[in-house]
Amino acid sequence: MDWTLQLLVLRDAALAMLLGGAVGFERELKNRPAGFRTHMLVGGAAALLVGLGQLVITDHRLDSVQHLTMDPLRLVEAVIAGVSFIGAGTIFARRGSQVVVGITTAASILMVAVIGVMCGFRYHLLATLATVLALIVLTLIAWVERRIPSNGDPGAKSG
């Protein structure tokens, strides 16, 4: 197998980790359950899984395997299923309270996984712009929400 293809997959994973790290840094600054390293690893793992799937399809050593096919959406499903467990671990309900925390962090982990998938498929511009959008949601919109008077709903700001 051509090692340059493997380096391309590694480059895509590095970009996914960089972009995931940007989102994770914002979560880290807010002291959320999943921060910088977690987001980096989720983005990188997603990109690596997608890239590995593409490498396997082009690997001529597997030509003897009859009818080897790959549905790219299956790779995406696998990434999302794995990330769901991590996201669920960041969501906590406080006893005796209706407040649930960690939903935004779980959503940011999902977003980083999707960004990683984009990097794995080499949609680098789309991944970068999606990261910018995620950061806008996590920073600018959160800033606006803090300035809007609360309606007394304890679950309204779930962070």
Side-chain angles (χ1 to χ4, degrees), residues 98-139:
Q98 304 243 353
V99 177
V100 177
V101 295
I103 294 174
T104 302
T105 299
S108 72
I109 290 171
L110 175 62
M111 185 68 168
V112 165
V114 173
I115 290 166
V117 168
M118 289 183 237
C119 288
F121 283 124
R122 300 202 176 109
Y123 296 121
H124 299 144
L125 178 62
L126 182 60
T128 302
L129 295 175
T131 302
V132 170
L133 288 175
L135 289 171
I136 287 170
V137 167
L138 292 170
T139 57

PDB file of all heavy atoms in Angstrom, residues 98-139:
ATOM      1  N   GLN A  98     -34.686  19.710  38.549  1.00  0.00           N
ATOM      2  CA  GLN A  98     -35.081  19.496  37.159  1.00  0.00           C
ATOM      3  C   GLN A  98     -33.986  19.956  36.200  1.00  0.00           C
ATOM      4  O   GLN A  98     -34.171  19.950  35.007  1.00  0.00           O
ATOM      5  CB  GLN A  98     -36.368  20.269  36.878  1.00  0.00           C
ATOM      6  CG  GLN A  98     -37.481  19.887  37.820  1.00  0.00           C
ATOM      7  CD  GLN A  98     -38.632  19.259  37.077  1.00  0.00           C
ATOM      8  OE1 GLN A  98     -38.650  19.229  35.872  1.00  0.00           O
ATOM      9  NE2 GLN A  98     -39.594  18.751  37.810  1.00  0.00           N
ATOM     10  N   VAL A  99     -32.844  20.391  36.746  1.00  0.00           N
ATOM     11  CA  VAL A  99     -31.763  20.922  35.933  1.00  0.00           C
ATOM     12  C   VAL A  99     -30.928  19.775  35.347  1.00  0.00           C
ATOM     13  O   VAL A  99     -30.510  18.877  36.057  1.00  0.00           O
ATOM     14  CB  VAL A  99     -30.860  21.859  36.767  1.00  0.00           C
ATOM     15  CG1 VAL A  99     -29.688  22.350  35.945  1.00  0.00           C
ATOM     16  CG2 VAL A  99     -31.669  23.032  37.281  1.00  0.00           C
ATOM     17  N   VAL A 100     -30.724  19.831  34.059  1.00  0.00           N
ATOM     18  CA  VAL A 100     -29.865  18.872  33.366  1.00  0.00           C
ATOM     19  C   VAL A 100     -28.694  19.667  32.805  1.00  0.00           C
ATOM     20  O   VAL A 100     -28.877  20.691  32.161  1.00  0.00           O
ATOM     21  CB  VAL A 100     -30.625  18.160  32.224  1.00  0.00           C
ATOM     22  CG1 VAL A 100     -29.696  17.226  31.467  1.00  0.00           C
ATOM     23  CG2 VAL A 100     -31.822  17.404  32.777  1.00  0.00           C
ATOM     24  N   VAL A 101     -27.476  19.204  33.083  1.00  0.00           N
ATOM     25  CA  VAL A 101     -26.290  19.900  32.595  1.00  0.00           C
ATOM     26  C   VAL A 101     -25.500  18.982  31.674  1.00  0.00           C
ATOM     27  O   VAL A 101     -25.569  17.764  31.777  1.00  0.00           O
ATOM     28  CB  VAL A 101     -25.389  20.393  33.756  1.00  0.00           C
ATOM     29  CG1 VAL A 101     -26.100  21.449  34.569  1.00  0.00           C
ATOM     30  CG2 VAL A 101     -24.948  19.247  34.626  1.00  0.00           C
ATOM     31  N   GLY A 102     -24.774  19.593  30.763  1.00  0.00           N
ATOM     32  CA  GLY A 102     -23.898  18.839  29.875  1.00  0.00           C
ATOM     33  C   GLY A 102     -24.454  18.593  28.489  1.00  0.00           C
ATOM     34  O   GLY A 102     -23.772  18.004  27.649  1.00  0.00           O
ATOM     35  N   ILE A 103     -25.663  19.047  28.235  1.00  0.00           N
ATOM     36  CA  ILE A 103     -26.264  18.792  26.921  1.00  0.00           C
ATOM     37  C   ILE A 103     -25.507  19.537  25.825  1.00  0.00           C
ATOM     38  O   ILE A 103     -25.249  18.983  24.755  1.00  0.00           O
ATOM     39  CB  ILE A 103     -27.762  19.164  26.923  1.00  0.00           C
ATOM     40  CG1 ILE A 103     -28.514  18.223  27.863  1.00  0.00           C
ATOM     41  CG2 ILE A 103     -28.337  19.072  25.516  1.00  0.00           C
ATOM     42  CD1 ILE A 103     -29.968  18.580  28.059  1.00  0.00           C
ATOM     43  N   THR A 104     -25.118  20.760  26.083  1.00  0.00           N
ATOM     44  CA  THR A 104     -24.381  21.523  25.078  1.00  0.00           C
ATOM     45  C   THR A 104     -23.025  20.877  24.810  1.00  0.00           C
ATOM     46  O   THR A 104     -22.582  20.789  23.662  1.00  0.00           O
ATOM     47  CB  THR A 104     -24.212  22.991  25.518  1.00  0.00           C
ATOM     48  OG1 THR A 104     -25.513  23.544  25.741  1.00  0.00           O
ATOM     49  CG2 THR A 104     -23.492  23.801  24.461  1.00  0.00           C
ATOM     50  N   THR A 105     -22.370  20.398  25.854  1.00  0.00           N
ATOM     51  CA  THR A 105     -21.087  19.723  25.658  1.00  0.00           C
ATOM     52  C   THR A 105     -21.279  18.432  24.867  1.00  0.00           C
ATOM     53  O   THR A 105     -20.480  18.124  23.973  1.00  0.00           O
ATOM     54  CB  THR A 105     -20.416  19.440  27.012  1.00  0.00           C
ATOM     55  OG1 THR A 105     -20.185  20.696  27.665  1.00  0.00           O
ATOM     56  CG2 THR A 105     -19.096  18.704  26.837  1.00  0.00           C
ATOM     57  N   ALA A 106     -22.326  17.695  25.145  1.00  0.00           N
ATOM     58  CA  ALA A 106     -22.605  16.478  24.370  1.00  0.00           C
ATOM     59  C   ALA A 106     -22.836  16.828  22.903  1.00  0.00           C
ATOM     60  O   ALA A 106     -22.349  16.141  21.999  1.00  0.00           O
ATOM     61  CB  ALA A 106     -23.817  15.749  24.950  1.00  0.00           C
ATOM     62  N   ALA A 107     -23.555  17.916  22.671  1.00  0.00           N
ATOM     63  CA  ALA A 107     -23.795  18.353  21.295  1.00  0.00           C
ATOM     64  C   ALA A 107     -22.497  18.799  20.632  1.00  0.00           C
ATOM     65  O   ALA A 107     -22.284  18.549  19.434  1.00  0.00           O
ATOM     66  CB  ALA A 107     -24.819  19.492  21.278  1.00  0.00           C
ATOM     67  N   SER A 108     -21.614  19.443  21.394  1.00  0.00           N
ATOM     68  CA  SER A 108     -20.337  19.868  20.806  1.00  0.00           C
ATOM     69  C   SER A 108     -19.469  18.668  20.456  1.00  0.00           C
ATOM     70  O   SER A 108     -18.745  18.685  19.458  1.00  0.00           O
ATOM     71  CB  SER A 108     -19.601  20.834  21.745  1.00  0.00           C
ATOM     72  OG  SER A 108     -19.083  20.169  22.880  1.00  0.00           O
ATOM     73  N   ILE A 109     -19.545  17.610  21.241  1.00  0.00           N
ATOM     74  CA  ILE A 109     -18.808  16.384  20.923  1.00  0.00           C
ATOM     75  C   ILE A 109     -19.351  15.777  19.638  1.00  0.00           C
ATOM     76  O   ILE A 109     -18.584  15.341  18.774  1.00  0.00           O
ATOM     77  CB  ILE A 109     -18.881  15.384  22.098  1.00  0.00           C
ATOM     78  CG1 ILE A 109     -18.052  15.904  23.265  1.00  0.00           C
ATOM     79  CG2 ILE A 109     -18.394  14.006  21.671  1.00  0.00           C
ATOM     80  CD1 ILE A 109     -18.221  15.107  24.536  1.00  0.00           C
ATOM     81  N   LEU A 110     -20.658  15.757  19.494  1.00  0.00           N
ATOM     82  CA  LEU A 110     -21.262  15.258  18.256  1.00  0.00           C
ATOM     83  C   LEU A 110     -20.821  16.109  17.067  1.00  0.00           C
ATOM     84  O   LEU A 110     -20.450  15.593  16.006  1.00  0.00           O
ATOM     85  CB  LEU A 110     -22.785  15.245  18.371  1.00  0.00           C
ATOM     86  CG  LEU A 110     -23.555  14.866  17.113  1.00  0.00           C
ATOM     87  CD1 LEU A 110     -23.205  13.441  16.670  1.00  0.00           C
ATOM     88  CD2 LEU A 110     -25.051  15.002  17.342  1.00  0.00           C
ATOM     89  N   MET A 111     -20.830  17.413  17.246  1.00  0.00           N
ATOM     90  CA  MET A 111     -20.418  18.326  16.171  1.00  0.00           C
ATOM     91  C   MET A 111     -18.966  18.071  15.781  1.00  0.00           C
ATOM     92  O   MET A 111     -18.630  18.029  14.593  1.00  0.00           O
ATOM     93  CB  MET A 111     -20.622  19.776  16.624  1.00  0.00           C
ATOM     94  CG  MET A 111     -20.335  20.783  15.558  1.00  0.00           C
ATOM     95  SD  MET A 111     -21.555  20.674  14.230  1.00  0.00           S
ATOM     96  CE  MET A 111     -21.200  22.161  13.347  1.00  0.00           C
ATOM     97  N   VAL A 112     -18.108  17.885  16.753  1.00  0.00           N
ATOM     98  CA  VAL A 112     -16.695  17.621  16.475  1.00  0.00           C
ATOM     99  C   VAL A 112     -16.533  16.285  15.739  1.00  0.00           C
ATOM    100  O   VAL A 112     -15.691  16.161  14.850  1.00  0.00           O
ATOM    101  CB  VAL A 112     -15.871  17.665  17.779  1.00  0.00           C
ATOM    102  CG1 VAL A 112     -14.502  17.054  17.608  1.00  0.00           C
ATOM    103  CG2 VAL A 112     -15.739  19.106  18.256  1.00  0.00           C
ATOM    104  N   ALA A 113     -17.340  15.304  16.089  1.00  0.00           N
ATOM    105  CA  ALA A 113     -17.283  14.024  15.368  1.00  0.00           C
ATOM    106  C   ALA A 113     -17.659  14.222  13.901  1.00  0.00           C
ATOM    107  O   ALA A 113     -17.011  13.679  13.000  1.00  0.00           O
ATOM    108  CB  ALA A 113     -18.205  12.998  16.026  1.00  0.00           C
ATOM    109  N   VAL A 114     -18.683  15.004  13.661  1.00  0.00           N
ATOM    110  CA  VAL A 114     -19.101  15.282  12.280  1.00  0.00           C
ATOM    111  C   VAL A 114     -18.012  16.071  11.556  1.00  0.00           C
ATOM    112  O   VAL A 114     -17.719  15.813  10.378  1.00  0.00           O
ATOM    113  CB  VAL A 114     -20.462  16.025  12.255  1.00  0.00           C
ATOM    114  CG1 VAL A 114     -20.822  16.456  10.852  1.00  0.00           C
ATOM    115  CG2 VAL A 114     -21.549  15.125  12.843  1.00  0.00           C
ATOM    116  N   ILE A 115     -17.385  17.002  12.243  1.00  0.00           N
ATOM    117  CA  ILE A 115     -16.262  17.746  11.657  1.00  0.00           C
ATOM    118  C   ILE A 115     -15.132  16.779  11.314  1.00  0.00           C
ATOM    119  O   ILE A 115     -14.513  16.871  10.247  1.00  0.00           O
ATOM    120  CB  ILE A 115     -15.803  18.868  12.614  1.00  0.00           C
ATOM    121  CG1 ILE A 115     -16.862  19.967  12.661  1.00  0.00           C
ATOM    122  CG2 ILE A 115     -14.438  19.424  12.215  1.00  0.00           C
ATOM    123  CD1 ILE A 115     -16.699  20.961  13.793  1.00  0.00           C
ATOM    124  N   GLY A 116     -14.881  15.828  12.186  1.00  0.00           N
ATOM    125  CA  GLY A 116     -13.872  14.806  11.907  1.00  0.00           C
ATOM    126  C   GLY A 116     -14.222  13.966  10.694  1.00  0.00           C
ATOM    127  O   GLY A 116     -13.362  13.641   9.867  1.00  0.00           O
ATOM    128  N   VAL A 117     -15.488  13.616  10.557  1.00  0.00           N
ATOM    129  CA  VAL A 117     -15.948  12.862   9.383  1.00  0.00           C
ATOM    130  C   VAL A 117     -15.705  13.684   8.121  1.00  0.00           C
ATOM    131  O   VAL A 117     -15.224  13.168   7.109  1.00  0.00           O
ATOM    132  CB  VAL A 117     -17.441  12.465   9.530  1.00  0.00           C
ATOM    133  CG1 VAL A 117     -18.008  11.961   8.214  1.00  0.00           C
ATOM    134  CG2 VAL A 117     -17.601  11.419  10.628  1.00  0.00           C
ATOM    135  N   MET A 118     -16.032  14.978   8.191  1.00  0.00           N
ATOM    136  CA  MET A 118     -15.788  15.850   7.029  1.00  0.00           C
ATOM    137  C   MET A 118     -14.304  15.859   6.659  1.00  0.00           C
ATOM    138  O   MET A 118     -13.948  15.789   5.476  1.00  0.00           O
ATOM    139  CB  MET A 118     -16.253  17.275   7.321  1.00  0.00           C
ATOM    140  CG  MET A 118     -17.746  17.447   7.374  1.00  0.00           C
ATOM    141  SD  MET A 118     -18.141  19.186   7.629  1.00  0.00           S
ATOM    142  CE  MET A 118     -19.120  19.088   9.106  1.00  0.00           C
ATOM    143  N   CYS A 119     -13.445  15.950   7.657  1.00  0.00           N
ATOM    144  CA  CYS A 119     -12.003  15.927   7.391  1.00  0.00           C
ATOM    145  C   CYS A 119     -11.591  14.586   6.792  1.00  0.00           C
ATOM    146  O   CYS A 119     -10.772  14.542   5.869  1.00  0.00           O
ATOM    147  CB  CYS A 119     -11.212  16.179   8.672  1.00  0.00           C
ATOM    148  SG  CYS A 119     -11.300  17.874   9.263  1.00  0.00           S
ATOM    149  N   GLY A 120     -12.163  13.504   7.307  1.00  0.00           N
ATOM    150  CA  GLY A 120     -11.841  12.176   6.786  1.00  0.00           C
ATOM    151  C   GLY A 120     -12.220  12.027   5.327  1.00  0.00           C
ATOM    152  O   GLY A 120     -11.536  11.348   4.554  1.00  0.00           O
ATOM    153  N   PHE A 121     -13.300  12.663   4.932  1.00  0.00           N
ATOM    154  CA  PHE A 121     -13.724  12.651   3.528  1.00  0.00           C
ATOM    155  C   PHE A 121     -13.057  13.774   2.729  1.00  0.00           C
ATOM    156  O   PHE A 121     -13.372  13.989   1.573  1.00  0.00           O
ATOM    157  CB  PHE A 121     -15.246  12.760   3.414  1.00  0.00           C
ATOM    158  CG  PHE A 121     -15.970  11.482   3.712  1.00  0.00           C
ATOM    159  CD1 PHE A 121     -16.947  11.441   4.700  1.00  0.00           C
ATOM    160  CD2 PHE A 121     -15.691  10.322   3.009  1.00  0.00           C
ATOM    161  CE1 PHE A 121     -17.627  10.265   4.979  1.00  0.00           C
ATOM    162  CE2 PHE A 121     -16.363   9.144   3.289  1.00  0.00           C
ATOM    163  CZ  PHE A 121     -17.327   9.112   4.274  1.00  0.00           C
ATOM    164  N   ARG A 122     -12.171  14.507   3.372  1.00  0.00           N
ATOM    165  CA  ARG A 122     -11.380  15.593   2.773  1.00  0.00           C
ATOM    166  C   ARG A 122     -12.214  16.796   2.343  1.00  0.00           C
ATOM    167  O   ARG A 122     -11.885  17.474   1.379  1.00  0.00           O
ATOM    168  CB  ARG A 122     -10.516  15.065   1.630  1.00  0.00           C
ATOM    169  CG  ARG A 122      -9.555  14.018   2.124  1.00  0.00           C
ATOM    170  CD  ARG A 122      -8.362  13.808   1.256  1.00  0.00           C
ATOM    171  NE  ARG A 122      -7.502  12.839   1.918  1.00  0.00           N
ATOM    172  CZ  ARG A 122      -7.321  11.592   1.479  1.00  0.00           C
ATOM    173  NH1 ARG A 122      -7.880  11.186   0.366  1.00  0.00           N
ATOM    174  NH2 ARG A 122      -6.558  10.778   2.144  1.00  0.00           N
ATOM    175  N   TYR A 123     -13.251  17.066   3.087  1.00  0.00           N
ATOM    176  CA  TYR A 123     -14.029  18.287   2.905  1.00  0.00           C
ATOM    177  C   TYR A 123     -13.501  19.320   3.907  1.00  0.00           C
ATOM    178  O   TYR A 123     -14.187  19.700   4.857  1.00  0.00           O
ATOM    179  CB  TYR A 123     -15.521  18.032   3.103  1.00  0.00           C
ATOM    180  CG  TYR A 123     -16.122  17.104   2.087  1.00  0.00           C
ATOM    181  CD1 TYR A 123     -16.733  15.917   2.474  1.00  0.00           C
ATOM    182  CD2 TYR A 123     -16.081  17.406   0.730  1.00  0.00           C
ATOM    183  CE1 TYR A 123     -17.291  15.056   1.537  1.00  0.00           C
ATOM    184  CE2 TYR A 123     -16.629  16.548  -0.215  1.00  0.00           C
ATOM    185  CZ  TYR A 123     -17.236  15.383   0.197  1.00  0.00           C
ATOM    186  OH  TYR A 123     -17.780  14.529  -0.736  1.00  0.00           O
ATOM    187  N   HIS A 124     -12.254  19.732   3.706  1.00  0.00           N
ATOM    188  CA  HIS A 124     -11.567  20.557   4.687  1.00  0.00           C
ATOM    189  C   HIS A 124     -12.199  21.933   4.853  1.00  0.00           C
ATOM    190  O   HIS A 124     -12.311  22.427   5.983  1.00  0.00           O
ATOM    191  CB  HIS A 124     -10.086  20.696   4.317  1.00  0.00           C
ATOM    192  CG  HIS A 124      -9.386  19.379   4.301  1.00  0.00           C
ATOM    193  ND1 HIS A 124      -8.398  19.083   3.402  1.00  0.00           N
ATOM    194  CD2 HIS A 124      -9.536  18.256   5.048  1.00  0.00           C
ATOM    195  CE1 HIS A 124      -7.962  17.855   3.594  1.00  0.00           C
ATOM    196  NE2 HIS A 124      -8.636  17.333   4.591  1.00  0.00           N
ATOM    197  N   LEU A 125     -12.597  22.556   3.771  1.00  0.00           N
ATOM    198  CA  LEU A 125     -13.227  23.874   3.880  1.00  0.00           C
ATOM    199  C   LEU A 125     -14.537  23.771   4.643  1.00  0.00           C
ATOM    200  O   LEU A 125     -14.808  24.580   5.554  1.00  0.00           O
ATOM    201  CB  LEU A 125     -13.463  24.480   2.490  1.00  0.00           C
ATOM    202  CG  LEU A 125     -14.167  25.842   2.481  1.00  0.00           C
ATOM    203  CD1 LEU A 125     -13.333  26.891   3.213  1.00  0.00           C
ATOM    204  CD2 LEU A 125     -14.468  26.286   1.060  1.00  0.00           C
ATOM    205  N   LEU A 126     -15.341  22.794   4.311  1.00  0.00           N
ATOM    206  CA  LEU A 126     -16.615  22.588   5.001  1.00  0.00           C
ATOM    207  C   LEU A 126     -16.370  22.342   6.492  1.00  0.00           C
ATOM    208  O   LEU A 126     -17.070  22.905   7.343  1.00  0.00           O
ATOM    209  CB  LEU A 126     -17.374  21.416   4.367  1.00  0.00           C
ATOM    210  CG  LEU A 126     -18.741  21.088   4.945  1.00  0.00           C
ATOM    211  CD1 LEU A 126     -19.678  22.274   4.822  1.00  0.00           C
ATOM    212  CD2 LEU A 126     -19.313  19.863   4.233  1.00  0.00           C
ATOM    213  N   ALA A 127     -15.385  21.532   6.812  1.00  0.00           N
ATOM    214  CA  ALA A 127     -15.069  21.244   8.214  1.00  0.00           C
ATOM    215  C   ALA A 127     -14.628  22.507   8.952  1.00  0.00           C
ATOM    216  O   ALA A 127     -15.038  22.746  10.092  1.00  0.00           O
ATOM    217  CB  ALA A 127     -13.981  20.173   8.293  1.00  0.00           C
ATOM    218  N   THR A 128     -13.810  23.311   8.302  1.00  0.00           N
ATOM    219  CA  THR A 128     -13.330  24.545   8.928  1.00  0.00           C
ATOM    220  C   THR A 128     -14.484  25.513   9.164  1.00  0.00           C
ATOM    221  O   THR A 128     -14.604  26.105  10.251  1.00  0.00           O
ATOM    222  CB  THR A 128     -12.251  25.199   8.050  1.00  0.00           C
ATOM    223  OG1 THR A 128     -11.185  24.258   7.863  1.00  0.00           O
ATOM    224  CG2 THR A 128     -11.711  26.464   8.685  1.00  0.00           C
ATOM    225  N   LEU A 129     -15.343  25.675   8.165  1.00  0.00           N
ATOM    226  CA  LEU A 129     -16.482  26.582   8.319  1.00  0.00           C
ATOM    227  C   LEU A 129     -17.484  26.067   9.347  1.00  0.00           C
ATOM    228  O   LEU A 129     -18.079  26.857  10.093  1.00  0.00           O
ATOM    229  CB  LEU A 129     -17.145  26.828   6.966  1.00  0.00           C
ATOM    230  CG  LEU A 129     -16.267  27.564   5.945  1.00  0.00           C
ATOM    231  CD1 LEU A 129     -16.972  27.653   4.594  1.00  0.00           C
ATOM    232  CD2 LEU A 129     -15.858  28.925   6.451  1.00  0.00           C
ATOM    233  N   ALA A 130     -17.658  24.748   9.421  1.00  0.00           N
ATOM    234  CA  ALA A 130     -18.532  24.167  10.448  1.00  0.00           C
ATOM    235  C   ALA A 130     -17.967  24.424  11.835  1.00  0.00           C
ATOM    236  O   ALA A 130     -18.719  24.674  12.785  1.00  0.00           O
ATOM    237  CB  ALA A 130     -18.718  22.671  10.202  1.00  0.00           C
ATOM    238  N   THR A 131     -16.657  24.391  11.964  1.00  0.00           N
ATOM    239  CA  THR A 131     -16.019  24.700  13.245  1.00  0.00           C
ATOM    240  C   THR A 131     -16.282  26.149  13.636  1.00  0.00           C
ATOM    241  O   THR A 131     -16.604  26.450  14.797  1.00  0.00           O
ATOM    242  CB  THR A 131     -14.499  24.438  13.170  1.00  0.00           C
ATOM    243  OG1 THR A 131     -14.292  23.071  12.798  1.00  0.00           O
ATOM    244  CG2 THR A 131     -13.823  24.722  14.494  1.00  0.00           C
ATOM    245  N   VAL A 132     -16.157  27.033  12.671  1.00  0.00           N
ATOM    246  CA  VAL A 132     -16.448  28.450  12.934  1.00  0.00           C
ATOM    247  C   VAL A 132     -17.896  28.617  13.388  1.00  0.00           C
ATOM    248  O   VAL A 132     -18.179  29.331  14.359  1.00  0.00           O
ATOM    249  CB  VAL A 132     -16.143  29.310  11.682  1.00  0.00           C
ATOM    250  CG1 VAL A 132     -16.666  30.732  11.852  1.00  0.00           C
ATOM    251  CG2 VAL A 132     -14.647  29.316  11.383  1.00  0.00           C
ATOM    252  N   LEU A 133     -18.812  27.942  12.705  1.00  0.00           N
ATOM    253  CA  LEU A 133     -20.224  28.020  13.109  1.00  0.00           C
ATOM    254  C   LEU A 133     -20.430  27.492  14.529  1.00  0.00           C
ATOM    255  O   LEU A 133     -21.170  28.081  15.322  1.00  0.00           O
ATOM    256  CB  LEU A 133     -21.099  27.246  12.124  1.00  0.00           C
ATOM    257  CG  LEU A 133     -21.296  27.871  10.753  1.00  0.00           C
ATOM    258  CD1 LEU A 133     -22.092  26.927   9.854  1.00  0.00           C
ATOM    259  CD2 LEU A 133     -21.998  29.215  10.869  1.00  0.00           C
ATOM    260  N   ALA A 134     -19.794  26.377  14.842  1.00  0.00           N
ATOM    261  CA  ALA A 134     -19.918  25.815  16.193  1.00  0.00           C
ATOM    262  C   ALA A 134     -19.396  26.790  17.236  1.00  0.00           C
ATOM    263  O   ALA A 134     -20.015  26.979  18.290  1.00  0.00           O
ATOM    264  CB  ALA A 134     -19.170  24.488  16.281  1.00  0.00           C
ATOM    265  N   LEU A 135     -18.272  27.412  16.941  1.00  0.00           N
ATOM    266  CA  LEU A 135     -17.714  28.383  17.889  1.00  0.00           C
ATOM    267  C   LEU A 135     -18.603  29.612  18.027  1.00  0.00           C
ATOM    268  O   LEU A 135     -18.722  30.177  19.123  1.00  0.00           O
ATOM    269  CB  LEU A 135     -16.297  28.771  17.470  1.00  0.00           C
ATOM    270  CG  LEU A 135     -15.261  27.661  17.664  1.00  0.00           C
ATOM    271  CD1 LEU A 135     -13.942  28.039  17.015  1.00  0.00           C
ATOM    272  CD2 LEU A 135     -15.090  27.337  19.132  1.00  0.00           C
ATOM    273  N   ILE A 136     -19.259  30.008  16.949  1.00  0.00           N
ATOM    274  CA  ILE A 136     -20.214  31.119  17.028  1.00  0.00           C
ATOM    275  C   ILE A 136     -21.363  30.744  17.957  1.00  0.00           C
ATOM    276  O   ILE A 136     -21.773  31.529  18.814  1.00  0.00           O
ATOM    277  CB  ILE A 136     -20.722  31.508  15.623  1.00  0.00           C
ATOM    278  CG1 ILE A 136     -19.620  32.241  14.849  1.00  0.00           C
ATOM    279  CG2 ILE A 136     -21.984  32.371  15.711  1.00  0.00           C
ATOM    280  CD1 ILE A 136     -19.933  32.465  13.378  1.00  0.00           C
ATOM    281  N   VAL A 137     -21.864  29.537  17.805  1.00  0.00           N
ATOM    282  CA  VAL A 137     -22.965  29.091  18.668  1.00  0.00           C
ATOM    283  C   VAL A 137     -22.520  29.033  20.122  1.00  0.00           C
ATOM    284  O   VAL A 137     -23.241  29.482  21.021  1.00  0.00           O
ATOM    285  CB  VAL A 137     -23.491  27.712  18.199  1.00  0.00           C
ATOM    286  CG1 VAL A 137     -24.407  27.093  19.240  1.00  0.00           C
ATOM    287  CG2 VAL A 137     -24.200  27.847  16.871  1.00  0.00           C
ATOM    288  N   LEU A 138     -21.339  28.503  20.359  1.00  0.00           N
ATOM    289  CA  LEU A 138     -20.877  28.320  21.737  1.00  0.00           C
ATOM    290  C   LEU A 138     -20.455  29.619  22.417  1.00  0.00           C
ATOM    291  O   LEU A 138     -20.507  29.714  23.641  1.00  0.00           O
ATOM    292  CB  LEU A 138     -19.722  27.323  21.776  1.00  0.00           C
ATOM    293  CG  LEU A 138     -20.093  25.883  21.434  1.00  0.00           C
ATOM    294  CD1 LEU A 138     -18.841  25.037  21.261  1.00  0.00           C
ATOM    295  CD2 LEU A 138     -21.013  25.294  22.493  1.00  0.00           C
ATOM    296  N   THR A 139     -20.054  30.608  21.652  1.00  0.00           N
ATOM    297  CA  THR A 139     -19.570  31.845  22.267  1.00  0.00           C
ATOM    298  C   THR A 139     -20.539  33.000  22.076  1.00  0.00           C
ATOM    299  O   THR A 139     -21.080  33.519  23.045  1.00  0.00           O
ATOM    300  CB  THR A 139     -18.181  32.228  21.713  1.00  0.00           C
ATOM    301  OG1 THR A 139     -18.259  32.360  20.297  1.00  0.00           O
ATOM    302  CG2 THR A 139     -17.137  31.202  22.089  1.00  0.00           C
TER     303      THR A 139
END
